[in-house]
Amino acid sequence: MKAMVFQGRDQKSWQDVPDPGIQDAADAVVRVDAVTICGTDLHILKGDVPEVQPGTVLGHEAVGEVVETGNDVHSVRPGDRVLVSCITPCGRCRFCRENRFGQCLGGGGWILGHLINGTQAEYVRVPFAELSLHPLPSAVRGEDAVLLADIFPTAYEVGVLNGSVKPGDTVVVVGLGPIGLATVAAARLYSPRRIIAIDLVASRLEAARAAGADVTVNASEAPEQLVQDLTEGLGADVAIEAVGVPQAFEACTRMVRPGGRVANVGVHGEPAALHLESLWSRDVTITTGLVDTYSTPLLLDMMAAGRLPAASALVTHRFALSQMEEAYAVFSRAAETGALKVVLGPPTHDAVATSP
């Protein structure tokens, strides 16, 4: 089969690799119908995730059809349409029993496209398939569902829930890539007083307004002063960092009010300063986290009910699976191309009603 293979820092290739097969009774093999590229994949290529070894197939988000299952897999069967979660829980260890699937000690956690071959391929082997695959409701399109493999659970769990967004809060979201935009949409579910969205790219600020931001500001135009002005000098109740650069994290700690919460969502590849000389007395709570995806069934139900944005709100570019190299080129130059989320898969067709 063909797959996107990590070859080392700044090197990747769409190449032939062996087809995956069942290696354990808890495995399933899925034919990939829709897959996307994550900002974390770009961090891997930059060398920010050194655990990824050359020769690893990239990717951790997909929708597809089950083609084979191990003897211990009973919740899905060949022919089922499924969402492949970015997190693979064993379901047995201490952390999995606490719904902290991202910290799995039993051979799971974030392993796809990280420690084992991932989803940017024609087929993918999924360990612990009972908990790692989610059957898709017929009402949910694959292009929409693939956004629930990572970005929406990450935004909801690591941003909104960790940040304890509540009705009436002022919420600041720094960084408006796909995760940041999903965070804006997820925060709206909790009726905050206002959401202030910050980025350097005008097209992303426009997308944030469409996702539900009340105020948008370019990061070069004194956003910290704007937050102070809008909150009468108090600061934001919740500041969510969705970039993964030190400047964004440090800005969040300056914009949050005493007693407020800073939720770090971004993947950081270098140290950020923690200015305890100014934070120690302000009762600020700072959270970090790798997504656990325990919310995926809930989010699937909400998407089926029309309570989450469709892919059309976030997906700006669509490619055939064979155009993986081109998709990476577009996604990695988002400031030039305007790319938010790119989805790769077979051509889509309009549904046509037929009579018996």
Side-chain angles (χ1 to χ4, degrees):
M1 69 171 184
K2 292 287 189 180
M4 178 59 84
V5 179
F6 174 66
Q7 304 288 7
R9 188 182 179 113
D10 295 325
Q11 297 180 53
K12 63 191 183 308
S13 63
W14 179 249
Q15 64 181 64
D16 289 321
V17 300
D19 292 345
I22 299 296
Q23 297 181 17
D24 184 89
D27 289 352
V29 175
V30 175
R31 186 195 70 220
V32 174
D33 292 332
V35 67
T36 184
I37 302 170
C38 180
T40 303
D41 298 319
L42 301 185
H43 279 283
I44 291 171
L45 289 168
K46 287 168 56 181
D48 292 343
V49 190
E51 301 86 21
V52 183
Q53 295 299 307
T56 302
V57 176
L58 292 168
H60 51 267
E61 307 162 86
V63 166
E65 180 181 312
V66 177
V67 296
E68 187 178 3
T69 59
N71 292 334
D72 291 347
V73 178
H74 306 291
S75 60
V76 296
R77 59 184 181 180
D80 284 351
R81 185 168 159 263
V82 294
L83 170 68
V84 180
S85 176
C86 67
I87 299 296
T88 307
C90 78
R92 299 186 299 269
C93 72
R94 170 181 173 171
F95 288 126
C96 283
R97 291 197 300 270
E98 295 175 352
N99 277 353
R100 294 183 179 271
F101 302 145
Q103 305 301 321
C104 176
L105 297 171
W110 173 37
I111 57 174
L112 290 172
H114 180 206
L115 305 179
I116 67 171
N117 287 333
T119 59
Q120 289 172 9
E122 295 174 318
Y123 293 87
V124 59
R125 178 181 73 90
V126 182
F128 306 119
E130 288 272 297
L131 292 175
S132 304
L133 298 180
H134 300 273
L136 289 183
S138 58
V140 177
R141 299 185 309 159
E143 183 180 274
D144 295 327
V146 76
L147 302 183
L148 300 185
D150 184 355
I151 68 166
F152 268 106
T154 298
Y156 182 62
E157 296 173 14
V158 186
V160 175
L161 295 186
N162 280 5
S164 299
V165 174
K166 294 190 280 293
D169 278 352
T170 291
V171 179
V172 171
V173 180
V174 180
L176 301 173
I179 294 285
L181 293 173
T183 301
V184 170
R188 275 255 75 90
L189 299 172
Y190 286 81
S191 301
R193 179 179 181 182
R194 64 172 71 87
I195 298 175
I196 303 169
I198 302 171
D199 201 281
L200 283 166
V201 181
S203 61
R204 293 190 171 194
L205 295 170
E206 181 179 350
R209 287 189 288 272
D214 301 290
V215 180
T216 59
V217 56
N218 193 291
S220 66
E221 297 176 356
E224 295 176 35
Q225 185 59 53
L226 175 64
V227 171
Q228 289 292 306
D229 293 344
L230 290 175
T231 60
E232 299 179 347
L234 185 65
D237 299 286
V238 185
I240 300 174
E241 197 282 341
V243 186
V245 298
Q247 299 91 326
F249 173 78
E250 293 165 27
C252 285
T253 64
R254 292 191 296 268
M255 287 187 283
V256 71
R257 67 167 173 82
R261 288 90 63 194
V262 175
N264 183 88
V265 183
V267 177
H268 288 262
E270 56 184 306
L274 182 62
H275 290 283
L276 288 176
E277 74 279 6
S278 59
L279 289 171
W280 74 269
S281 62
R282 295 177 58 209
D283 299 341
V284 171
T285 298
I286 298 174
T287 61
T288 65
L290 174 66
V291 65
D292 296 305
T293 66
Y294 63 83
S295 66
T296 301
L298 169 66
L299 295 173
L300 268 173
D301 287 344
M302 293 178 68
M303 179 169 278
R307 299 296 185 181
L308 292 178
S312 57
L314 293 177
V315 176
T316 53
H317 296 75
R318 295 164 177 83
F319 300 89
L321 199 60
S322 60
Q323 296 175 294
M324 188 71 73
E325 295 272 11
E326 181 182 347
Y328 261 92
V330 168
F331 186 66
S332 64
R333 295 183 293 108
E336 304 169 38
T337 63
L340 293 174
K341 201 67 174 169
V342 303
V343 171
L344 302 96
T348 57
H349 304 280
D350 293 334
V352 178
T354 58
S355 57

